[in-house]
């Protein structure tokens, strides 16, 4: 009993600390350590650390994706992709706001970091939209609202974690939520469109009128691209396309396309293609690829390790079983909790990763007991966290987008709140 | 046959390219790819990549060590240690290199993993030696040269295997080869000493002068320290001390000290102690610890992945198997083949375990036919493999040592080749004579 109360207190304190913007990994590691010590089982801590840091399924998926992403950045392929997709956009003024959101969403599937994608797309789109007379905050909000397209990226920690729990492949996990996520994206687009019409945000605004301070706005640090190189623009999407084409379910695989390409293989192929097409030095590509893997280990796997250690502490304290039993009595509330728990924490802390990973590690393995499929419950937590982040004023992506518009991040959060909450409800009902 | 010649050619070219200074990871990956394509088993490439990138034994050892090293750098503890020991090292600088070889050898008996030992000892010894003016590559080479002390550890897989074949106890196997191994390590230490002297590697070097990439782990420059804080200076050695003290074999573990602390645990304890002792912000420590792990993944694991891919290419080409078959078919000059066969192959593939095991299982039971005891022949193969690893540029221990010094692993091979070959001859003459 004492342990249960202590664990509850530690859990609350840990998440309060994350909301107060204490380094996420530190908060989770410390919370886990305190619980392991209280349970007089410090080795539960190091055991969980060890297990998480060496989980093959996570390492072999996340790191190659991030290595490939680093290569795409350096070879400039990312910029071609962004320009290819944003150029035609500016010709459709009527639906510019929802279209900008959807294009960002699509680009975010290839450039999966929310902050990185916002920076790459925002630098092009936000000034252009402002020039077209759209309220700066609305322009930035539209881009920011698309930054949960990463739910289609295999490089996120979540599909790998969910895949392990549900015993599926990473691509299966992603495909399991495709309809919900696509419907969610269109809902967001439609609601943004309605908002921009209703509040007259889509014409006749100038930055001065909107009171935006562009002196601090980041200008285009990279020189503008003259022309889009179509081949280069396609390269960042090659691995994802290969992964989808070689899905065993599609039955498209022939002697030429091997069946069920692994994520690693797809990324290696993409990297080599990018190297050949942009004729970049292999030495540089090798370095960037491994640097990208290393950075992903420190950042992405780092959070997974910390979340794993935290759950290890909860387990050592013996509260997981109690929690599951408690949840069994309120079965129907589990999907709600799974979606809006990470959602809320993401809004408050700027990232739903910690909450979604914790929820998935602790609760999702028991999904069957609540009458839900593990993959669906896991996806709910993941998408819930991603949607919450897309309206969080403290997320890095929001701050970057707001910087382009020269406004406070809260202006963006205000505009995205309704679309994101509605999308979360829709996704929950669909899954 | 054609395949074997081709594979040998690719191997030589790859090693030559690395010596020429081509990016190590790229060269090994490319060589592995060429071999995999030539032997028509393309899948061997991603398979080996996948296997190497998720080797939990290496990840769980290398990354925490490098994370800890980054924290020591952040807190400045490493500089205090370096300053503390530098004066002492300067006084005995004449014998610094052989001293490091012997110290590592002794510690390797207690921490029998070559990679783990290189990491735990190297984090203390390599920066200190570099600060004392030893060439970074020589410092790392001395460390690597000592990483076969594990032949004295009864827990090392080969000792029980040989014991079983010979029908004796593992300790008997160890006593059987103890004289030869001691002579061997003394030969290594003496020759390292001579190489350091002859090539003037033991004084007056700075990392810049040697072209080492600083900023890896434990580079001890920056601000000169006023005076040494003894407590801070001790922190970098805490994990090593903990690992040795809790080693199963020492029997020192009590209820208070848990038995057989893992490297991860030792490093985590060291990190927390360092944080408390220097009163550094936990946020900073966390960030640096994980950044250090990430950097180590990109660099050190990167080379290990590339080496794994290369070795898989060799295997796909059938070279390793052909070599083993040839070894097993040996009838003449058994002590010679038994020592240098495993040694040579280990130099190329970086781990002697597979070769030594294969040889011991296939040939050693028939030792009597060649006028040898099984214990001796088995020990020859084990020590041959271990010596080969200590001069292999693709061994995990070499990659770690080179990473700590910021140099190319091949630089270590150049310095260790003669001592290891001479030690192998000495061991062979004593055990096989």
């Amino acid at each position: 009993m004492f342990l249960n109360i202590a664990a509850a207190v530690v859990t609350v304190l840990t998440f309060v600390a994350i909301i107060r913007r204490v380094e996420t990994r530190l908060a989770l590691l410390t919370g886990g350590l305190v619980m392991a010590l209280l349970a007089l089982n410090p080795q539960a801590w190091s055991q969980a650390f060890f297990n998480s840091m060496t989980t093959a399924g996570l390492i072999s998926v996340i790191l190659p994706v991030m290595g490939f992403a680093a290569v795409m950045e350096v070879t400039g392929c990312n910029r071609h992709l962004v320009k290819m997709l944003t150029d035609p956009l500016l010709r459709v003024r009527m639906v510019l706001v929802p279209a900008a959101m959807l294009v960002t969403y699509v680009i975010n599937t290839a450039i999966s970091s929310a902050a990185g994608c916002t920076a790459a797309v925002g630098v092009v789109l936000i000034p252009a939209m402002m020039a077209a007379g759209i309220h700066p905050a609305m322009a930035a909000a539209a881009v920011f609202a698309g930054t949960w397209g990463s739910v289609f990226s295999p490089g996120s920690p979540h599909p790998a974690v969910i895949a392990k729990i549900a015993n599926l492949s990473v691509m299966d996990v992603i495909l399991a939520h495709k309809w919900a996520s696509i419907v969610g994206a269109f809902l967001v687009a439609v609601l943004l469109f309605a908002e921009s019409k209703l509040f007259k945000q889509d014409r006749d605004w100038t930055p001065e009128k909107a009171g935006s301070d562009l002196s601090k706005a980041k200008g285009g640090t990279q020189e503008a691209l003259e022309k889009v190189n179509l081949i280069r623009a396609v390269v960042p999407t090659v691995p994802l396309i290969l992964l989808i084409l070689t899905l065993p379910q599609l039955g498209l695989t022939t002697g030429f396309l091997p069946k069920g390409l692994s994520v690693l293989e797809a990324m290696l192929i993409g990297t080599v293609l990018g190297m050949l097409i942009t004729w970049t030095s292999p030495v540089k590509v090798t370095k960037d690829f491994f640097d990208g893997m290393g950075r992903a280990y420190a950042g992405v796997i780092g959070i997974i390790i910390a979340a794993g250690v935290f759950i290890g502490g909860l387990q050592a304290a013996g509260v997981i079983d109690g929690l599951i039993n408690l949840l069994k009595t309120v079965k129907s509330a589990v999907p709600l909790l799974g979606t809006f728990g990470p959602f809320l924490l993401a809004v408050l802390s700027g990232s739903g990763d910690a909450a979604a990973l914790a929820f998935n590690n602790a609760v999702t393995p028991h999904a069957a007991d609540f009458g839900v499929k593990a993959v669906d419950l896991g996806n709910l937590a993941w998408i819930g966290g991603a949607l919450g982040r897309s309206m969080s004023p403290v997320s890095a992506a929001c701050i970057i987008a707001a910087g382009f518009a020269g406004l406070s991040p809260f202006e963006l959060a205000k505009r995205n709140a309704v679309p994101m909450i509605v999308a979360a409800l829709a996704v929950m009902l669909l899954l | 046959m054609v395949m074997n010649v081709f594979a040998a050619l690719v191997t030589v070219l790859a090693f030559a390219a690395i010596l020429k200074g081509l990016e190590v990871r790229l060269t090994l990956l490319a060589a592995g790819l060429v071999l995999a394509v030539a032997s028509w088993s393309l899948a061997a490439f991603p398979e080996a990549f996948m296997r190497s990138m998720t080797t939990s034994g290496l990840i769980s050892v290398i990354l925490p060590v490098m994370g800890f090293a980054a924290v020591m750098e952040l807190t400045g503890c490493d500089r205090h240690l370096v300053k503390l020991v530098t004066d002492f090292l300067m006084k005995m600088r004449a014998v610094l290199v052989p001293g490091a070889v012997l110290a590592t050898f002794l510690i390797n008996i207690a921490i029998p993993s070559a990679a783990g030992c290189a990491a735990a000892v190297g984090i203390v010894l390599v920066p200190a030696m570099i600060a004392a003016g030893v060439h970074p590559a020589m410092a790392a080479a001395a460390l690597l040269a000592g990483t076969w002390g594990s032949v004295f550890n009864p827990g090392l897989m080969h000792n029980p295997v040989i014991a079983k074949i010979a029908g004796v106890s593992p300790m008997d196997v160890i006593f059987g080869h103890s004289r030869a191994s001691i002579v061997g390590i003394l030969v290594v230490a003496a020759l390292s000493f001579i190489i350091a002297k002859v090539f003037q590697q033991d004084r007056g070097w700075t990392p810049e002068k040697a072209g080492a990439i600083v900023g890896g782990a434990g580079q001890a420059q920056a601000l000169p320290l006023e005076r040494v804080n003894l407590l801070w200076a001790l922190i970098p050695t805490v994990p090593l001390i903990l690992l040795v003290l809790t080693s199963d074999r020492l029997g020192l573990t009590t209820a208070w000290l848990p038995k057989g602390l893992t490297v991860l645990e030792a490093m985590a304890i060291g990190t927390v102690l360092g944080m408390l002792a220097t009163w550094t912000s936990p946020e900073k420590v966390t960030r640096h610890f994980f950044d250090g792990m990430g950097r180590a993944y990109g660099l050190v694991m990167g080379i290990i992945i590339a080496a794994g891919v290369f070795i898989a290419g060799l295997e796909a080409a059938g070279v390793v198997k052909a070599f083993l078959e040839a070894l097993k078919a040996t009838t003449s000059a058994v002590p010679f083949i038994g020592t240098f066969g495993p040694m040579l192959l280990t130099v190329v593939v970086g781990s002697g375990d597979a070769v030594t095991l294969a040889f011991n299982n296939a040939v050693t039971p028939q030792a009597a036919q060649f006028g040898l005891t099984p214990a001796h022949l088995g020990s020859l193969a084990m020590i041959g493999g271990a010596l080969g690893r200590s001069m292999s540029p693709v061994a995990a221990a070499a990659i770690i040592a080179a990473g700590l010094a910021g140099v190319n692993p091949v630089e270590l091979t150049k310095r260790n080749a003669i001592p290891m070959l001479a030690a192998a001859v000495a061991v062979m003459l004593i055990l096989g004579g």
Side-chain angles (χ1 to χ4, degrees):
Chain A
M1 196 55 221
F2 163 73
L3 264 182
N4 283 350
I5 296 170
V9 172
V10 171
T11 306
V12 170
L13 284 180
T14 302
F15 282 101
V16 167
I18 292 174
I19 291 167
R20 298 282 299 273
R21 322 223 66 199
V22 172
E23 154 65 75
T24 311
R25 292 170 297 190
L26 174 64
L28 290 171
L29 286 174
T30 313
L33 182 62
V34 171
M35 284 188 287
L37 288 178
L38 285 177
L40 294 183
N41 185 4
Q43 292 208 318
W45 191 88
S46 53
Q47 194 56 44
F49 199 116
F50 177 90
N51 288 341
S52 315
M53 83 180 294
T54 57
T55 310
L58 302 178
I59 292 175
S60 64
V61 169
I62 296 168
L63 301 196
V65 176
M66 301 310 262
F68 173 70
V71 172
M72 286 302 98
E73 192 60 47
V74 184
T75 54
C77 288
N78 275 348
R79 286 159 60 211
H80 283 275
L81 171 69
V82 169
K83 189 161 166 63
M84 177 179 81
L85 289 177
T86 50
D87 270 359
L89 202 62
L90 296 171
R91 284 182 224 122
V92 286
R93 242 205 117 274
M94 251 316 274
V95 289
L96 192 46
V97 168
M101 179 265 152
L102 288 175
V103 163
T104 311
Y105 189 81
V106 170
I107 292 174
N108 195 209
T109 61
I111 306 176
S112 61
S113 139
C117 176
T118 309
V121 179
V123 72
V124 184
L125 259 189
I126 296 175
M129 288 169 77
M130 277 154 58
I134 289 170
H135 191 290
M138 197 70 226
V143 169
F144 179 44
T147 56
W148 57 284
S150 53
V151 294
F152 284 101
S153 164
S156 152
H158 302 286
V161 168
I162 299 166
K164 211 178 101 215
I165 293 168
N167 211 4
L168 292 167
S169 83
V170 168
M171 289 310 286
D172 287 336
V173 172
I174 291 175
L175 290 178
H177 72 61
K178 62 179 183 296
W179 292 119
S181 299
I182 291 171
V183 169
F186 276 103
L187 264 180
V188 170
V190 168
L191 285 170
L192 278 176
F193 180 67
E195 261 183 19
S196 70
K197 285 284 168 214
L198 211 59
F199 298 102
K200 299 204 172 56
Q201 303 258 300
D202 65 338
R203 57 184 63 227
D204 302 333
W205 284 90
T206 60
E208 293 72 36
K209 206 169 139 194
S212 68
D213 173 16
L214 286 174
S215 60
K216 272 181 285 176
K218 280 194 260 165
T221 42
Q222 311 160 323
E223 72 276 37
L225 285 171
E226 290 279 302
K227 251 183 98 240
V228 175
N229 180 324
L230 216 58
I231 301 178
R232 290 189 185 198
V234 172
V235 176
T237 64
V238 164
L240 199 58
I241 293 173
L242 280 179
L243 282 175
I244 293 171
L245 284 184
T246 61
L247 277 174
Q249 297 93 302
L250 278 182
L252 280 178
T253 48
T254 62
F256 177 72
L257 272 174
K259 224 185 180 88
L261 218 54
S262 72
V263 173
L264 170 68
E265 286 160 342
M267 296 301 152
L268 287 176
I269 294 173
T271 303
V272 172
L273 269 183
M275 180 179 89
L276 292 177
I277 284 167
T278 59
W279 209 241
T280 310
S281 141
V283 172
K284 199 166 157 34
V285 170
T286 310
K287 246 181 220 138
D288 289 322
F289 187 83
F290 282 104
D291 282 355
M293 295 220 300
R295 270 202 308 276
Y297 196 95
V300 184
I301 306 276
I303 289 201
I304 293 179
I305 292 173
V309 166
F310 181 74
I311 298 298
L314 278 179
Q315 256 155 5
V319 289
I320 299 260
D321 295 339
L323 179 71
I324 299 299
N325 283 330
L326 191 69
L327 285 175
K328 273 184 201 157
T329 60
V330 286
K331 268 184 193 179
S332 56
V334 170
L336 190 73
L337 196 69
T339 315
F340 283 96
F343 186 94
L344 199 64
L345 276 158
V347 173
L348 295 173
S349 70
S351 165
D353 286 348
L357 286 172
F359 182 86
N360 279 342
N361 276 321
V363 181
T364 304
H366 309 275
D369 296 343
F370 315 124
V372 228
K373 278 200 289 182
V375 57
D376 289 339
L377 190 57
N379 275 332
L380 272 182
W382 175 21
I383 299 172
L387 286 168
R389 193 201 49 230
S390 292
M391 63 167 281
S392 164
V394 288
S395 76
C398 186
I399 293 164
I400 292 168
F404 286 129
L407 285 169
S408 150
F410 282 95
E411 292 296 318
L412 279 56
K414 225 164 66 184
R415 288 171 171 78
N416 282 359
V418 174
M420 293 305 156
I421 293 170
V422 172
L425 283 172
V427 168
M428 194 183 82
L429 293 176
L430 284 169
L431 288 179
Chain B
M1 194 57 218
V2 180
M3 225 26 242
N4 286 347
V5 175
F6 180 71
L9 194 71
V10 171
T11 306
V12 171
L13 279 179
F15 279 46
I18 295 174
L19 263 178
K20 285 258 173 208
L22 204 63
E23 152 74 55
V24 179
R25 292 169 297 192
L26 174 64
T27 313
L28 291 173
L29 285 174
L33 184 63
V34 168
L35 288 173
V37 171
S39 48
W40 211 244
S41 70
L42 198 52
F45 184 91
E47 249 167 47
F49 201 113
M50 181 88 85
R51 209 170 343 106
S52 311
M53 82 182 293
T54 56
T55 318
S56 60
L58 290 176
I59 291 177
S60 63
V61 167
I62 297 171
L63 301 197
V65 171
M66 298 305 234
F68 175 67
V71 172
M72 288 300 99
E73 203 187 343
L74 165 75
T75 55
C77 285
D78 58 340
R79 284 160 50 216
H80 283 270
L81 172 70
V82 165
K83 181 138 170 68
L84 179 71
V85 296
T86 307
D87 293 341
F88 172 70
L89 289 180
M90 284 295 193
K91 270 182 223 139
M92 51 171 288
R93 192 162 59 180
V95 292
L96 189 49
V97 168
V101 173
L102 294 175
T104 312
F105 189 82
L106 288 177
I107 294 169
N108 192 210
I109 300 175
I111 309 175
S113 142
C117 174
V121 180
I123 198 176
V124 179
L125 215 47
V126 169
M129 287 174 79
I130 294 176
V134 176
H135 190 291
M138 195 69 224
L143 180 73
L144 178 63
T147 56
W148 56 282
S150 54
V151 294
F152 280 108
N153 188 311
L156 184 76
M157 150 178 69
H158 301 297
N159 282 318
V161 167
I162 298 166
K164 197 160 156 263
I165 293 170
V168 294
S169 83
M171 284 317 285
D172 290 331
V173 175
I174 291 176
F175 286 127
H177 72 65
S178 61
R179 203 160 55 91
S181 296
I182 290 170
V183 170
I185 188 60
L186 291 178
V187 168
V188 170
L191 285 172
S192 295
F193 174 69
I194 292 170
I195 287 175
K197 281 287 166 213
V198 172
F199 296 101
Q200 280 158 7
Q201 300 263 299
D202 64 339
R203 61 182 59 223
W205 286 92
T206 61
E208 293 74 33
K209 204 169 142 195
I213 308 153
V214 287
Q219 291 305 330
Q221 263 63 43
L223 302 164
L225 289 170
E226 290 280 303
R227 45 193 288 274
V228 173
N229 180 325
L230 206 60
L231 179 66
W232 290 28
L234 284 178
I235 302 280
T237 65
V238 163
L240 178 60
I241 293 171
L242 281 177
L243 283 174
V244 173
L245 284 184
T246 64
S247 152
D248 285 343
R249 287 296 147 195
L250 283 185
L252 280 179
T253 47
T254 61
W256 191 71
L257 273 174
K259 223 183 179 86
L261 220 55
T262 64
V263 173
L264 168 68
E265 286 161 344
M267 296 299 154
I269 294 172
T271 303
V272 173
L273 280 182
M275 183 179 86
L276 293 177
T278 61
W279 208 241
T280 310
S281 136
E283 298 220 346
K284 262 196 184 161
V285 169
T286 309
R287 211 168 289 134
H288 276 256
F289 187 83
F290 281 102
D291 283 353
M293 295 218 301
R295 262 208 315 275
Y297 197 96
L299 292 172
V300 180
M301 282 307 290
I303 299 182
I304 287 172
I305 292 169
V309 166
F310 169 69
I311 293 155
L314 283 179
E315 268 162 15
V319 190
V320 175
K321 212 166 152 226
F323 196 92
L324 278 179
E325 289 306 317
L327 268 191
K328 286 185 204 163
T330 353
T331 44
S332 63
V334 165
F336 181 80
I337 302 283
T339 313
F340 285 94
M343 184 169 183
L344 185 66
L345 196 58
T346 306
V347 172
V348 178
V349 302
S351 161
D353 289 344
V355 201
T356 303
L357 272 183
F359 182 86
N360 277 342
N361 283 325
V363 184
T364 304
Q366 283 93 46
Q369 290 177 21
F370 316 116
L372 288 166
T373 67
H376 278 177
L377 185 56
S379 294
L380 273 182
M382 168 175 74
I383 299 171
L387 287 170
R389 188 188 54 222
S390 284
M391 62 173 280
S392 166
V394 289
I399 294 165
I400 294 167
L404 285 169
V407 297
N408 188 322
V410 172
E411 292 295 316
L412 277 51
T413 303
K414 282 203 308 216
R415 288 169 173 80
N416 280 358
I418 293 174
M420 293 305 151
L421 288 171
V425 172
V427 169
M428 187 185 81
L429 291 178
I430 296 173
L431 283 179

